[in-house]
Amino acid sequence: MEERIPVLQLKNITKRFGEITANEDVSLDVYQGEILALLGENGSGKTTLMNMISGIYFPDEGEIIVRGQKVSITCPKDAYDLGVGMVHQHFKLVDVLTAAENIVLGLKEKGALDIKAASARIKEICDRYGFSVDPNQKIYNMSVSQKQTVEIVKVLYRGADILVLDEPTAVLTPQETEKLFNVMRNMKADGKSIIIITHKLHEVLEISDRVAILRKGKYICDVVTKDANTQELTDAMVGRSVALNIERPDPVDPSPKIVIEGLTVKSSDGVTKLKDVSFNINSGEILGIAGISGNGQKELLESIAGLQRVSKGSISYIDDDGKSISLIGMDPLEISNMGISLSFVPEDRLGMGLVGNMDLSQNMALRSFRNNKGIFVDKKSPHILAEHVVEELEVNTPGISTQVRKLSGGNVQKVLVGREIAASPKVLLTAYAVRGLDINSSYTIYDLLNKQKKKGVAVVYVGEDLDVLLELCDRILVLCGGQVSGIVDGRSTNKKEVGLMMTSLTGGDDNE
């Protein structure tokens, strides 16, 4: 049998950031015409490792070998010159430019830029792999999946045949994910090598040929995908056996806690973000919100939390005595002063949820400093809470005095969720509570949400993984274009029905 020669080799790669070792002595091979999935818990060093082959970081120790030659990759241009390109989780596109302009942006071509020739080459790439891109379409008019397509085509246009895709399906519908997988299979058939970073194990099993696992910055093993299963991969990532069951207890005496009628929200420039939205959030249940990213989920939760100006409609809180209290026109402090215990885990972790330059203990104090009696700030309680959150949610941090901005994205999310749940709310609003979290941490969060539900808390879970929404939620409200496409029973619906409702305003029964 002919021996396969790797197109990319990482040998004894180590990368440190101050006292933190992100990658330690990692060796990894990637072969031509394969899809390699890179798995690991939050903070295990996956993205850092890939950032070194794409020129974002430079390794402190070790070697990178491309097609048998030892190379030095000091910037993304070096990586592109070697045929290596990375599509990052957060897109790097200029909104006011067209697809074609973004794709050629920064390239040095001989003579004047020929946008017509560039568009022809873009069309050739699209036809070859099954992409659908209009070179003349502005980025700001594109859906999330279209923007991602532009990013991938941009990498291919620059000649990459080793591609790194960081969480490529995080904000895609099932239908969009399947289209992306078909494109990836076409690229693989053309001899491209693809490394995919993802936390969705069912996708790993569907699309990859081989799986490499990192744990705490170290390479653990790699396995042929056809010989693997979800449980084995999870156990290898975590280093111990992990139960993979999402509990869904029956709702606990459900009754309306938040009543929303005819809610319409417009942006500062007059664009309608939500239109005539009506539904109830019940105590003792988990209400899921499904929808393609940017279809009003953010505005909906921020309106309830008092952070978004409402153009029309009503939002009412029903207290324990059945009294209705209007939340319209109230800010978060006024809502709190009314005795309404509401917690909000926003989508923007460091912009809205936490302060990056503060440590864990100080960020805990942000939630409670107004409760201090006297002139002195209580530092002991936030310190104890920070230690509790770190232990219960297994936050990977050198200590609670570490600045939050120095933590990985997943660990930042754990800190935020832990703080908001610790406030013992009556209403808990969560926007993408497990986005970027590894499977073990995600199941810890699902368990915490169910514990809140059992206490009679009204829980809202905005999520992008339909498998989780179908397993965790009692009801699922689907948003499409800022309108309610339908409300379905989480126990009786299916992925196909919800996926279709996400892209159409005709769907399930709009029953509250």
Side-chain angles (χ1 to χ4, degrees):
M1 185 176 174
E2 187 180 345
E3 183 183 357
R4 288 203 302 165
I5 300 173
V7 293
L8 173 68
Q9 293 173 279
L10 306 180
K11 289 191 172 182
N12 309 111
I13 296 289
T14 295
K15 181 65 183 176
R16 302 180 189 89
F17 297 96
E19 298 175 2
I20 299 171
T21 301
N23 293 121
E24 183 178 351
D25 197 30
V26 175
S27 295
L28 182 68
D29 293 344
V30 182
Y31 297 93
Q32 183 176 353
E34 80 162 350
I35 298 175
L36 174 71
L38 193 58
L39 283 182
E41 289 191 277
N42 296 118
S44 63
K46 304 180 298 296
T47 300
T48 299
L49 189 66
M50 291 300 99
N51 277 336
M52 281 185 277
I53 70 169
S54 64
I56 305 295
Y57 298 142
F58 192 81
D60 297 322
E61 298 169 21
E63 298 177 347
I64 299 175
I65 297 169
V66 179
R67 298 177 197 86
Q69 298 293 316
K70 181 181 174 182
V71 299
S72 176
I73 303 176
T74 61
C75 63
K77 185 182 182 303
D78 289 347
Y80 279 126
D81 290 344
L82 293 164
V84 179
M86 183 167 176
V87 176
H88 297 269
Q89 188 175 354
H90 302 291
F91 305 143
K92 301 178 185 301
L93 300 169
V94 181
D95 273 3
V96 296
L97 299 183
T98 65
E101 289 166 343
N102 269 278
I103 288 167
V104 301
L105 191 64
L107 286 176
K108 289 184 178 178
E109 305 276 355
K110 289 181 181 177
L113 172 64
D114 186 345
I115 200 72
K116 192 173 180 182
S119 296
R121 191 171 158 207
I122 291 167
K123 185 178 185 306
E124 182 185 324
I125 292 170
C126 292
D127 291 344
R128 186 170 189 171
Y129 299 115
F131 292 110
S132 178
V133 172
D134 177 358
N136 300 313
Q137 187 175 359
K138 300 277 191 183
I139 298 299
Y140 61 74
N141 282 328
M142 290 186 176
S143 67
V144 174
S145 65
Q146 287 174 312
K147 291 177 184 177
Q148 183 185 69
T149 299
V150 172
E151 287 280 23
I152 297 173
V153 173
K154 184 168 73 173
V155 168
L156 293 170
Y157 190 93
R158 283 160 168 73
D161 48 26
I162 301 170
L163 290 87
V164 180
L165 308 180
D166 190 1
E167 299 282 355
T169 66
V171 291
L172 301 185
T173 66
Q175 292 86 348
E176 290 168 338
T177 297
E178 192 51 49
K179 280 177 69 176
L180 174 64
F181 284 0
N182 287 334
V183 166
M184 289 170 65
R185 293 183 185 105
N186 292 338
M187 290 194 290
K188 169 188 161 182
D190 195 43
K192 304 290 186 188
S193 304
I194 302 170
I195 306 169
I196 178 173
I197 301 173
T198 180
H199 291 302
K200 299 179 181 179
L201 294 190
H202 62 283
E203 293 181 357
V204 169
L205 296 172
E206 179 184 346
I207 192 63
S208 69
D209 301 298
R210 199 161 51 94
V211 185
I213 295 171
L214 298 182
R215 188 194 311 147
K216 295 181 179 176
K218 297 180 181 179
Y219 169 82
I220 300 301
C221 64
D222 69 280
V223 295
V224 177
T225 305
K226 64 181 177 61
D227 299 331
N229 61 51
T230 300
Q231 188 66 57
E232 290 169 349
L233 293 176
T234 305
D235 293 351
M237 281 166 50
V238 179
R240 55 181 167 79
S241 183
V242 176
L244 297 177
N245 295 311
I246 298 180
E247 184 187 8
R248 180 161 49 192
D250 289 333
V252 181
D253 299 325
S255 59
K257 204 68 188 169
I258 299 282
V259 177
I260 295 171
E261 294 180 351
L263 183 67
T264 297
V265 173
K266 294 184 179 180
S267 64
S268 56
D269 55 359
V271 177
T272 300
K273 296 293 186 178
L274 290 170
K275 183 179 179 182
D276 197 27
V277 169
S278 299
F279 67 98
N280 293 346
I281 303 171
N282 296 331
S283 61
E285 76 165 13
I286 298 178
L287 173 69
I289 309 281
I292 299 169
S293 180
N295 273 255
Q297 300 95 316
K298 177 176 179 284
E299 290 77 13
L300 178 58
L301 264 58
E302 288 183 3
S303 297
I304 299 168
L307 296 165
Q308 186 78 238
R309 186 171 172 274
V310 172
S311 301
K312 198 169 72 173
S314 65
I315 304 172
S316 302
Y317 174 83
I318 312 301
D319 68 13
D320 293 341
D321 297 324
K323 180 185 173 185
S324 177
I325 303 169
S326 174
L327 302 185
I328 297 294
M330 286 194 196
D331 62 27
L333 179 58
E334 289 169 329
I335 291 173
S336 176
N337 289 341
M338 288 290 292
I340 298 169
S341 181
L342 186 150
S343 286
F344 178 33
V345 178
E347 183 177 356
D348 185 0
R349 301 164 185 170
L350 286 177
M352 186 181 290
L354 301 169
V355 178
N357 287 330
M358 287 184 173
D359 65 27
L360 274 70
S361 179
Q362 291 167 332
N363 270 286
M364 296 297 158
L366 289 176
R367 195 75 169 75
S368 58
F369 76 94
R370 287 194 183 91
N371 299 331
N372 290 308
K373 293 183 175 134
I375 61 173
F376 297 106
V377 175
D378 175 16
K379 294 183 179 178
K380 186 177 179 182
S381 298
H383 187 94
I384 294 170
L385 176 57
E387 289 180 333
H388 173 72
V389 169
V390 166
E391 182 180 354
E392 184 170 359
L393 297 186
E394 298 177 345
V395 177
N396 188 3
T397 174
I400 62 170
S401 60
T402 301
Q403 288 180 322
V404 165
R405 67 180 175 82
K406 293 183 178 178
L407 303 181
S408 72
N411 285 298
V412 170
Q413 186 73 339
K414 291 181 192 178
V415 172
L416 178 55
V417 172
R419 185 190 71 185
E420 293 305 307
I421 287 178
S424 302
K426 290 288 183 73
V427 178
L428 175 61
L429 309 174
T430 67
Y432 309 106
V434 299
R435 177 182 280 173
L437 291 187
D438 57 73
I439 191 165
N440 182 42
S441 302
S442 297
Y443 276 79
T444 301
I445 299 298
Y446 304 147
D447 184 53
L448 286 173
L449 295 181
N450 271 315
K451 284 179 179 175
Q452 296 300 301
K453 170 182 167 178
K454 288 177 182 176
K455 291 178 181 178
V457 176
V459 181
V460 175
Y461 176 86
V462 176
E464 48 210 1
D465 189 329
L466 291 190
D467 291 294
V468 171
L469 282 161
L470 295 171
E471 283 187 67
L472 177 70
C473 302
D474 299 293
R475 292 181 301 141
I476 300 171
L477 179 146
V478 185
L479 285 175
C480 177
Q483 296 178 255
V484 176
S485 186
I487 301 176
V488 292
D489 188 310
R491 291 169 174 79
S492 60
T493 190
N494 57 61
K495 273 176 75 172
K496 184 177 180 183
E497 181 183 18
V498 176
L500 288 172
M501 290 166 63
M502 287 166 66
T503 55
S504 169
L505 282 173
T506 57
D509 295 331
D510 203 345
N511 55 357
E512 295 172 23

PDB file of all heavy atoms in Angstrom, residues 179-191:
ATOM      1  N   LYS A 179     -25.913  22.318   2.435  1.00  0.00           N
ATOM      2  CA  LYS A 179     -25.315  22.912   1.231  1.00  0.00           C
ATOM      3  C   LYS A 179     -23.812  23.106   1.414  1.00  0.00           C
ATOM      4  O   LYS A 179     -23.008  22.814   0.510  1.00  0.00           O
ATOM      5  CB  LYS A 179     -25.975  24.265   0.918  1.00  0.00           C
ATOM      6  CG  LYS A 179     -27.314  24.169   0.212  1.00  0.00           C
ATOM      7  CD  LYS A 179     -27.949  25.538  -0.007  1.00  0.00           C
ATOM      8  CE  LYS A 179     -27.194  26.358  -1.016  1.00  0.00           C
ATOM      9  NZ  LYS A 179     -27.871  27.663  -1.300  1.00  0.00           N
ATOM     10  N   LEU A 180     -23.412  23.591   2.589  1.00  0.00           N
ATOM     11  CA  LEU A 180     -21.992  23.783   2.871  1.00  0.00           C
ATOM     12  C   LEU A 180     -21.250  22.444   2.835  1.00  0.00           C
ATOM     13  O   LEU A 180     -20.143  22.344   2.273  1.00  0.00           O
ATOM     14  CB  LEU A 180     -21.802  24.446   4.234  1.00  0.00           C
ATOM     15  CG  LEU A 180     -20.354  24.583   4.717  1.00  0.00           C
ATOM     16  CD1 LEU A 180     -19.558  25.495   3.784  1.00  0.00           C
ATOM     17  CD2 LEU A 180     -20.303  25.095   6.157  1.00  0.00           C
ATOM     18  N   PHE A 181     -21.855  21.416   3.423  1.00  0.00           N
ATOM     19  CA  PHE A 181     -21.210  20.096   3.431  1.00  0.00           C
ATOM     20  C   PHE A 181     -21.032  19.551   2.015  1.00  0.00           C
ATOM     21  O   PHE A 181     -20.020  18.920   1.708  1.00  0.00           O
ATOM     22  CB  PHE A 181     -22.011  19.123   4.287  1.00  0.00           C
ATOM     23  CG  PHE A 181     -21.837  19.323   5.776  1.00  0.00           C
ATOM     24  CD1 PHE A 181     -21.008  20.324   6.264  1.00  0.00           C
ATOM     25  CD2 PHE A 181     -22.504  18.524   6.691  1.00  0.00           C
ATOM     26  CE1 PHE A 181     -20.838  20.517   7.623  1.00  0.00           C
ATOM     27  CE2 PHE A 181     -22.339  18.697   8.052  1.00  0.00           C
ATOM     28  CZ  PHE A 181     -21.505  19.707   8.518  1.00  0.00           C
ATOM     29  N   ASN A 182     -22.000  19.796   1.140  1.00  0.00           N
ATOM     30  CA  ASN A 182     -21.873  19.353  -0.248  1.00  0.00           C
ATOM     31  C   ASN A 182     -20.701  20.055  -0.935  1.00  0.00           C
ATOM     32  O   ASN A 182     -19.940  19.443  -1.690  1.00  0.00           O
ATOM     33  CB  ASN A 182     -23.171  19.602  -1.016  1.00  0.00           C
ATOM     34  CG  ASN A 182     -24.278  18.640  -0.629  1.00  0.00           C
ATOM     35  OD1 ASN A 182     -24.012  17.524  -0.178  1.00  0.00           O
ATOM     36  ND2 ASN A 182     -25.526  19.053  -0.779  1.00  0.00           N
ATOM     37  N   VAL A 183     -20.556  21.360  -0.649  1.00  0.00           N
ATOM     38  CA  VAL A 183     -19.429  22.118  -1.206  1.00  0.00           C
ATOM     39  C   VAL A 183     -18.102  21.560  -0.673  1.00  0.00           C
ATOM     40  O   VAL A 183     -17.134  21.396  -1.428  1.00  0.00           O
ATOM     41  CB  VAL A 183     -19.569  23.620  -0.848  1.00  0.00           C
ATOM     42  CG1 VAL A 183     -18.266  24.364  -1.116  1.00  0.00           C
ATOM     43  CG2 VAL A 183     -20.708  24.254  -1.639  1.00  0.00           C
ATOM     44  N   MET A 184     -18.067  21.257   0.631  1.00  0.00           N
ATOM     45  CA  MET A 184     -16.845  20.710   1.226  1.00  0.00           C
ATOM     46  C   MET A 184     -16.484  19.363   0.603  1.00  0.00           C
ATOM     47  O   MET A 184     -15.299  19.081   0.357  1.00  0.00           O
ATOM     48  CB  MET A 184     -17.029  20.572   2.748  1.00  0.00           C
ATOM     49  CG  MET A 184     -17.049  21.904   3.489  1.00  0.00           C
ATOM     50  SD  MET A 184     -17.554  21.757   5.229  1.00  0.00           S
ATOM     51  CE  MET A 184     -16.212  20.770   5.896  1.00  0.00           C
ATOM     52  N   ARG A 185     -17.483  18.552   0.325  1.00  0.00           N
ATOM     53  CA  ARG A 185     -17.214  17.263  -0.325  1.00  0.00           C
ATOM     54  C   ARG A 185     -16.657  17.470  -1.730  1.00  0.00           C
ATOM     55  O   ARG A 185     -15.771  16.730  -2.178  1.00  0.00           O
ATOM     56  CB  ARG A 185     -18.492  16.417  -0.356  1.00  0.00           C
ATOM     57  CG  ARG A 185     -18.970  15.964   1.029  1.00  0.00           C
ATOM     58  CD  ARG A 185     -20.206  15.073   0.940  1.00  0.00           C
ATOM     59  NE  ARG A 185     -20.708  14.757   2.276  1.00  0.00           N
ATOM     60  CZ  ARG A 185     -21.795  15.292   2.816  1.00  0.00           C
ATOM     61  NH1 ARG A 185     -22.519  16.177   2.115  1.00  0.00           N
ATOM     62  NH2 ARG A 185     -22.178  14.962   4.036  1.00  0.00           N
ATOM     63  N   ASN A 186     -17.181  18.485  -2.438  1.00  0.00           N
ATOM     64  CA  ASN A 186     -16.669  18.792  -3.780  1.00  0.00           C
ATOM     65  C   ASN A 186     -15.223  19.271  -3.717  1.00  0.00           C
ATOM     66  O   ASN A 186     -14.401  18.910  -4.567  1.00  0.00           O
ATOM     67  CB  ASN A 186     -17.543  19.863  -4.459  1.00  0.00           C
ATOM     68  CG  ASN A 186     -18.932  19.359  -4.805  1.00  0.00           C
ATOM     69  OD1 ASN A 186     -19.153  18.151  -4.924  1.00  0.00           O
ATOM     70  ND2 ASN A 186     -19.881  20.263  -4.952  1.00  0.00           N
ATOM     71  N   MET A 187     -14.897  20.079  -2.718  1.00  0.00           N
ATOM     72  CA  MET A 187     -13.525  20.563  -2.562  1.00  0.00           C
ATOM     73  C   MET A 187     -12.587  19.407  -2.217  1.00  0.00           C
ATOM     74  O   MET A 187     -11.465  19.322  -2.728  1.00  0.00           O
ATOM     75  CB  MET A 187     -13.463  21.652  -1.483  1.00  0.00           C
ATOM     76  CG  MET A 187     -14.119  22.957  -1.899  1.00  0.00           C
ATOM     77  SD  MET A 187     -13.720  24.374  -0.819  1.00  0.00           S
ATOM     78  CE  MET A 187     -14.609  23.943   0.671  1.00  0.00           C
ATOM     79  N   LYS A 188     -13.051  18.532  -1.361  1.00  0.00           N
ATOM     80  CA  LYS A 188     -12.258  17.352  -1.002  1.00  0.00           C
ATOM     81  C   LYS A 188     -11.993  16.487  -2.239  1.00  0.00           C
ATOM     82  O   LYS A 188     -10.854  16.037  -2.466  1.00  0.00           O
ATOM     83  CB  LYS A 188     -13.007  16.548   0.067  1.00  0.00           C
ATOM     84  CG  LYS A 188     -12.440  15.163   0.344  1.00  0.00           C
ATOM     85  CD  LYS A 188     -13.367  14.395   1.268  1.00  0.00           C
ATOM     86  CE  LYS A 188     -13.096  12.908   1.180  1.00  0.00           C
ATOM     87  NZ  LYS A 188     -14.022  12.124   2.026  1.00  0.00           N
ATOM     88  N   ALA A 189     -13.019  16.285  -3.063  1.00  0.00           N
ATOM     89  CA  ALA A 189     -12.868  15.484  -4.280  1.00  0.00           C
ATOM     90  C   ALA A 189     -11.874  16.115  -5.251  1.00  0.00           C
ATOM     91  O   ALA A 189     -11.231  15.426  -6.053  1.00  0.00           O
ATOM     92  CB  ALA A 189     -14.226  15.299  -4.963  1.00  0.00           C
ATOM     93  N   ASP A 190     -11.713  17.443  -5.146  1.00  0.00           N
ATOM     94  CA  ASP A 190     -10.780  18.169  -6.011  1.00  0.00           C
ATOM     95  C   ASP A 190      -9.369  18.197  -5.417  1.00  0.00           C
ATOM     96  O   ASP A 190      -8.491  18.872  -5.947  1.00  0.00           O
ATOM     97  CB  ASP A 190     -11.290  19.597  -6.221  1.00  0.00           C
ATOM     98  CG  ASP A 190     -10.602  20.306  -7.372  1.00  0.00           C
ATOM     99  OD1 ASP A 190     -10.402  19.681  -8.426  1.00  0.00           O
ATOM    100  OD2 ASP A 190     -10.254  21.491  -7.204  1.00  0.00           O
ATOM    101  N   GLY A 191      -9.181  17.504  -4.314  1.00  0.00           N
ATOM    102  CA  GLY A 191      -7.856  17.411  -3.715  1.00  0.00           C
ATOM    103  C   GLY A 191      -7.560  18.418  -2.627  1.00  0.00           C
ATOM    104  O   GLY A 191      -6.444  18.472  -2.107  1.00  0.00           O
TER     105      GLY A 191
END
